[in-house]
Each structure stands twice: as structure tokens, then as C-alpha cells.
Amino acid sequence: MRMHALSLGNPEQPAMKYTVSIEVALPLERVVQLLSDPAHMPKWLRGLVLHEPLRGEHGQVGTESRVVFQAGKQEMECTETITRREPADLHGLPEGQVVHFDREIVAEGMWNAVRDRLTQSGPETTLWVSENEYRFSGVMMRLVGLLMPGTFRKQSQQHMQDFKAFAEQGRDVREAN
């Protein structure tokens, strides 16, 4: 009997890329302020247990943070590094300003780059576009990425919808449970 190794692709190549977006019925500056305030994160980032800077200041380029999520009885810990924040000052944004907020997230068996772009889409509305790229290592995580790619996209979209509900209506995901 011959056994064949299951090839999951080159681990150096992106295993998965997708883009999700949402429109929030608030001006750009207000959306950016709410997104960048760590005190608000547990209100819209479902399952967030801890988000603590290890080096640097929250939200600033180069800052490395320990992030812990809980989903049922499963806990996931990762390290987030801010790789881009433009402009650096998020107050007094001029008309037409595009806000970029990029980060890399590393967990056991997974590397993820998130590139968020926020733009004014109307007088009182903001378009949030999030490009996501995942790479997996280890057989288990590579299988998860291969067999369940929609789960990652769905989770990203859920975070955006939860943020929109928080920003527009004050809804807190912790109160929904």
C-alpha cells in the first residue's frame, strides 16, 4: 500500500486572502475615535478577554500587544503588532482623508495581516474596508484554513457588524449573552 502526503501548499505562500467592508452611519473622525479607543474594544470585539500592550503605546506603530480571546471553552492567545497608522494624529481629519490602520497578528500555527482603510463615504457615513491575509503552519492549522476558509471571513464580518451596532446604537456584545 502506498501512502501519499497531503499537500496543503507552500507555507510561505498566502493560504487565504479576502476583503470585507461595512458602512457606518457616523462621520469618519467619530468612527476612527471609537475604533482606536481601547476602552471600547470589549464592547464590540466579541470574545475579547485581554488586550494589553507589551511594548509601546496602544494603537501606535511598532506597539506589540498580547491579545486573548475566549470562544466557549476555547481560549486563543496571540500577539498583535501595529505596522501602520496613518495619519498618526486622528483628530481634526481633513475632508477626503483616508485612514490606514494595519497590524500583524501571530498565534500558534497562524500569521494574519489586517489592512484597514477608512474613508468618508457621505456627509455622515464612513466606509470601513478590511483586507485580510492568512498564512498557516502546522498540519492542523493548515487543514483549518483549507477546509473552513469561510469561517475566518464570517468572523471578520461579524466584528464589523458588532462595531457598527456599538457605534450607531450603543449596543454592547457582552450584554447580548
Side-chain angles (χ1 to χ4, degrees), residues 68-89:
V68 180
F69 285 97
Q70 183 91 33
K73 294 185 184 209
Q74 291 255 216
E75 190 172 272
M76 183 183 108
E77 184 171 328
C78 56
T79 302
E80 173 192 70
T81 304
I82 306 303
T83 56
R84 181 180 183 190
R85 176 176 157 166
E86 292 175 12
D89 183 1

Side-chain angles (χ1 to χ4, degrees), residues 54-128:
L54 300 172
R55 278 188 280 292
E57 185 181 327
H58 178 84
Q60 299 302 312
V61 173
T63 298
E64 190 176 294
S65 299
R66 177 175 169 240
V67 183
V68 180
F69 285 97
Q70 183 91 33
K73 294 185 184 209
Q74 291 255 216
E75 190 172 272
M76 183 183 108
E77 184 171 328
C78 56
T79 302
E80 173 192 70
T81 304
I82 306 303
T83 56
R84 181 180 183 190
R85 176 176 157 166
E86 292 175 12
D89 183 1
L90 301 174
H91 296 85
L93 298 173
E95 182 99 11
Q97 176 72 56
V98 177
V99 176
H100 296 273
F101 188 68
D102 300 354
R103 58 206 176 279
E104 289 183 358
I105 300 162
V106 178
E108 188 174 335
M110 181 195 84
W111 172 90
N112 170 221
V114 181
R115 296 173 194 89
D116 288 334
R117 188 174 65 250
L118 296 109
T119 55
Q120 180 180 335
S121 57
E124 295 291 314
T125 56
T126 299
L127 177 62
W128 177 10

